[in-house]
Amino acid sequence: MFNRNRISPPLAVIASISMVTGCGVFSSDASDDADPIIVGTTSAPSTLDPAAAWDSSWELMRNVYQPLLGYSPGSTKPEPDAAESCEFTDNSSTVYTCTLREGLKFSNGHALDAEAVKHSFDRIKEINVNGGPAGLLTTLDRVQVKGDREVVFHLGQPDATFPLVLTTPAMSIVDPEEYPADKLREDGNITGSGPYKLSSYEDGEKAELARNEDYKGLAEIKNSAVTIRYFQQSDELVTALKSNDISVIYRGLGASDIVDIQVNRDKEGLQIMENPTTEISYLVFNPKDSWAKNPAVRKAVAQVIDRKALAHNIYKDTVEPLYSMIPRGLVGHGTGFFDDYGNPSAAKAKAILTEAGINETVPLTLWYTTDRYGSQTKPAFEELKRQLEASGLFTVTLKSRPWKTYSEGYQKGEYPVFGRGWNPDFNDPDNFIAPFVGEQNALGTPYNSPEITTKLLPRSREESDRGAVAEEFEEAQQILVDDARLIPLWQGKAYTAANEEIAGLEKVIDPATMMMMWELYRKTSW
């Protein structure tokens, strides 16, 4: 799944959240300017229904739907949003109870009550979209309603990460009258209870958001309206910013664009904010493919890839080499792929293949998306192709698709090897292991690893002190290194650019690196 101005990642997950916060309200000092703030991004939604979303569709959902728990600016601790309070109500982290705020409404005027919450969670599991967010609810057994405002989540096993799951946009509350229990909503509309209403939507073009006057929750809304425009290429984004067609850029800036804005920002009246993030990029090998299913082939690829060259030559050091699926800054981060493979070596890769009886040149097809991870994606895959073919061990064919069809393709298992990025659902090491393993996962390619799914993850989830789970995640990562089914490439930084008139950039990104549009405002009107 996804940055903030020097916000450190959480050191521990709070196993019990029991607090009451005042409703977020629109300040009397806020802008009365009817002109929307226009945000440009390459991160267009693939779906508008939370029950299908386990990707950057969350960017829009964060602003129009409402989960039970959310984050205040600068905080990494979940706080009540649609809920008034939430806490574990047993001693084993298996019963989690939330009480809703009074008087909640959906954007169509319907009441938001405990039955709506139950409906929202039940339908995720019932619809069970392949590669969808049901994978986040593997520990949820059932949802119980007590009156209009109390919801009780019964977990099948202890799960100290469950409060963090509740912060994700996939767990947004939807209206039972608008969202069927057994299928996705298909009319292209959104009925939520978040800070904004969706007033207009053009698929792949733009989303127009208007302030939700009935909103009750954690957010303090600092603007009247936001329009999100979706672009295909980062150079189009920068051109639009410099010509004042948009005011803010988030997601999609290319490395050369970042460097250019950093150098010329004063002259051009721009600002850019660099934020640390736990975003990662990695390759996925599909076990259905005759070559990709061979461990020797995967390990040979891992032995050849030069991450430093990729980060420096292609990304201009706006990313850092990554040798672990768990990124730097989180418990369990390591350097397993460097420890086991060392520096890139064609000779070592050849020895791996020869030992497995492979003496021919290995043909591989690598897939990437054209419009999701910025304009450097194509050059990055061209560099991977160059590195692999320069070893003399591989012939590589590159193929690509726009994100919407690309995501459909990997969910159907169509690609032998493909690139993915991961912005965390929440900043816990669990979220860099659990989504990728098991029969159903975020990648659409089953990854059967009983040691991880039935032993290490359950054991780690019993621990409310998330700083005490290093051993479990180190073991899990070594299994990933040994399998080489997933090969980490780099860890990113998040860059947000804007015109000088825009304020709020230091608070606009939540811990899951999604933009909280309500934090943006014009300096002259706040």
Side-chain angles (χ1 to χ4, degrees):
M1 99 249 290
F2 274 150
N3 291 343
R4 48 208 177 273
N5 187 21
R6 297 296 172 188
I7 296 174
S8 300
L11 297 178
V13 173
I14 305 302
S16 173
I17 302 169
S18 182
M19 59 193 80
V20 179
T21 62
C23 298
V25 295
F26 188 70
S27 167
S28 59
D29 296 327
S31 170
D32 292 324
D33 188 351
D35 291 337
I37 293 175
I38 303 178
V39 177
T41 179
T42 58
S43 185
S46 62
T47 178
L48 299 182
D49 191 326
W54 205 355
D55 62 14
S56 290
S57 301
W58 287 8
E59 294 277 11
L60 175 60
M61 293 180 185
R62 171 64 79 206
N63 294 277
V64 293
Y65 290 107
Q66 187 178 24
L68 290 166
L69 301 176
Y71 297 100
S72 293
S75 174
T76 56
K77 181 186 297 185
E79 301 175 44
D81 191 354
E84 181 180 87
S85 64
C86 290
E87 63 181 343
F88 279 110
T89 50
D90 69 337
N91 295 322
S92 59
S93 298
T94 60
V95 181
Y96 196 72
T97 302
C98 291
T99 301
L100 296 175
R101 297 177 188 267
E102 291 188 17
L104 293 174
K105 294 181 182 179
F106 290 108
S107 56
N108 59 6
H110 295 172
L112 190 165
D113 57 14
E115 286 290 349
V117 176
K118 175 176 168 58
H119 172 82
S120 302
F121 282 81
D122 287 349
R123 71 187 294 267
I124 291 172
K125 302 194 76 171
E126 172 66 25
I127 298 171
N128 197 23
V129 172
N130 185 36
L136 287 168
L137 296 176
T138 56
T139 62
L140 178 61
D141 186 24
R142 62 187 177 93
V143 183
Q144 179 186 8
V145 169
K146 293 184 177 181
D148 290 337
R149 295 176 54 209
E150 188 171 340
V151 184
V152 183
F153 298 93
H154 295 272
L155 310 182
Q157 61 190 51
D159 187 0
T161 71
F162 190 72
L164 294 182
V165 172
L166 296 186
T167 68
T168 66
M171 305 303 137
S172 296
I173 307 165
V174 298
D175 185 353
E177 295 187 37
E178 301 281 358
Y179 293 79
D182 57 356
K183 64 179 181 179
L184 298 175
R185 182 172 181 172
E186 297 177 348
D187 63 0
N189 293 320
I190 284 177
T191 305
S193 60
Y196 298 98
K197 298 180 181 181
L198 182 67
S199 57
S200 175
Y201 182 73
E202 297 177 36
D203 188 22
E205 297 293 331
K206 67 178 179 179
E208 296 182 349
L209 312 183
R211 189 178 77 221
N212 181 4
E213 301 288 357
D214 294 324
Y215 170 73
K216 292 183 177 182
L218 189 60
E220 181 181 352
I221 311 168
K222 297 179 180 177
N223 57 62
S224 298
V226 172
T227 295
I228 307 170
R229 286 183 55 192
Y230 301 112
F231 291 78
Q232 297 293 314
Q233 301 295 333
S234 63
D235 57 346
E236 298 172 352
L237 274 172
V238 176
T239 298
L241 180 66
K242 291 183 177 180
S243 61
N244 290 317
D245 290 332
I246 63 175
S247 297
V248 182
I249 293 176
Y250 184 57
R251 296 209 190 285
L253 278 172
S256 58
D257 300 319
I258 293 167
V259 173
D260 175 68
I261 294 174
Q262 287 173 331
V263 172
N264 298 303
R265 57 187 169 186
D266 292 337
K267 180 174 63 177
E268 296 180 339
L270 301 176
Q271 54 180 317
I272 188 165
M273 185 155 306
E274 175 187 319
N275 303 292
T277 174
T278 51
E279 173 190 4
I280 68 172
S281 178
Y282 56 100
L283 291 178
V284 182
F285 288 77
N286 188 344
K288 294 180 181 179
D289 180 76
S290 59
W291 287 107
K293 72 178 182 181
N294 191 315
V297 170
R298 303 194 300 260
K299 292 178 180 180
V301 171
Q303 183 63 71
V304 167
I305 289 177
D306 188 339
R307 294 169 178 80
K308 291 182 180 178
L310 193 65
H312 181 70
N313 298 336
I314 306 301
Y315 287 96
K316 313 299 181 187
D317 298 317
T318 60
V319 304
E320 300 176 353
L322 182 66
Y323 301 92
S324 157
M325 287 300 291
I326 297 176
R328 185 178 294 104
L330 293 183
V331 169
H333 168 71
T335 55
F337 276 88
F338 184 80
D339 297 340
D340 280 30
Y341 296 98
N343 292 318
S345 171
K348 289 181 180 179
K350 183 176 181 179
I352 292 171
L353 293 173
T354 301
E355 185 176 353
I358 301 173
N359 297 303
E360 60 191 291
T361 303
V362 176
L364 289 177
T365 300
L366 273 59
W367 282 82
Y368 64 92
T369 181
T370 57
D371 59 352
R372 173 61 56 166
Y373 306 120
S375 59
Q376 250 58 46
T377 303
K378 180 180 179 182
F381 272 77
E382 290 172 343
E383 170 65 11
L384 290 172
K385 171 182 168 71
R386 185 198 66 77
Q387 291 179 9
L388 291 170
E389 292 188 336
S391 71
L393 303 173
F394 301 94
T395 56
V396 177
T397 301
L398 297 180
K399 292 187 177 182
S400 61
R401 286 177 178 170
W403 175 256
K404 196 159 189 176
T405 53
Y406 181 78
S407 60
E408 292 171 356
Y410 72 67
Q411 288 171 2
K412 294 177 182 177
E414 294 179 2
Y415 311 144
V417 186
F418 60 97
R420 276 297 310 268
W422 186 253
N423 291 284
D425 307 322
F426 47 84
N427 267 355
D428 186 274
D430 186 284
N431 198 236
F432 289 87
I433 301 293
F436 310 136
V437 296
E439 194 64 28
Q440 182 182 21
N441 59 51
L443 304 174
T445 55
Y447 188 167
N448 186 29
S449 180
E451 183 70 19
I452 295 177
T453 57
T454 66
K455 294 181 181 179
L456 296 175
L457 287 177
R459 197 166 77 206
S460 73
R461 289 168 178 168
E462 293 176 1
E463 179 57 68
S464 60
D465 178 4
R466 304 306 289 165
V469 295
E471 180 180 345
E472 286 81 4
F473 287 107
E474 288 168 0
E475 289 183 32
Q477 286 200 98
Q478 188 57 50
I479 292 171
L480 298 183
V481 171
D482 293 341
D483 290 345
R485 280 274 307 275
L486 309 172
I487 298 181
L489 297 175
W490 52 257
Q491 178 172 347
K493 304 171 187 176
Y495 294 86
T496 306
N499 293 328
E500 285 184 323
E501 67 170 356
I502 298 297
L505 294 184
E506 73 281 0
K507 294 183 177 181
V508 77
I509 307 304
D510 77 3
T513 67
M514 286 175 284
M515 182 171 277
M516 301 180 290
M517 304 290 179
W518 58 85
E519 288 293 334
L520 296 171
Y521 61 94
R522 292 185 174 90
K523 295 175 182 177
T524 56
S525 58
W526 176 253

